Amino acid sequence: MEVLPWDPENYAPGRISRLRCTWGGNGPDDPCTGEMKYTVIDGNGARWSSCEAHWTAYRDSLR
């Protein structure tokens, strides 16, 4: 896993991660409305936008 500062250029044009946090929320009907802070690249190379709250919750769950 790699974590970078959020930048819309980290995502291909048209990707939802350019518009909102995709790391958290409850699906397309109840998306996270937090400000994007990080790009999280998972082990498969997928790129996710993450707000501070969702990244912190995930990071803390690893401890």
Side-chain angles (χ1 to χ4, degrees), residues 3 10 15 17 28-29 32 35 37 39 43 48 53 55 59:
V3 180
N10 291 338
R15 301 300 300 178
S17 289
D29 295 332
C32 174
E35 179 183 355
K37 294 281 187 174
T39 295
W48 305 88
W55 169 248
R59 184 196 64 210

Side-chain angles (χ1 to χ4, degrees), residues 2 16 25 27 33 37 49 59:
E2 183 177 1
I16 194 72
T33 58
K37 294 281 187 174
S49 287
R59 184 196 64 210

Side-chain angles (χ1 to χ4, degrees), residues 1 23 52-63:
M1 178 176 298
W23 192 256
E52 185 73 40
H54 283 112
W55 169 248
T56 300
Y58 176 75
R59 184 196 64 210
D60 291 351
S61 74
L62 299 176
R63 294 180 182 175

Side-chain angles (χ1 to χ4, degrees), residues 19-39:
L19 304 175
R20 66 173 178 82
C21 172
T22 54
W23 192 256
N26 295 313
D29 295 332
D30 187 20
C32 174
T33 58
E35 179 183 355
M36 289 87 67
K37 294 281 187 174
Y38 305 102
T39 295

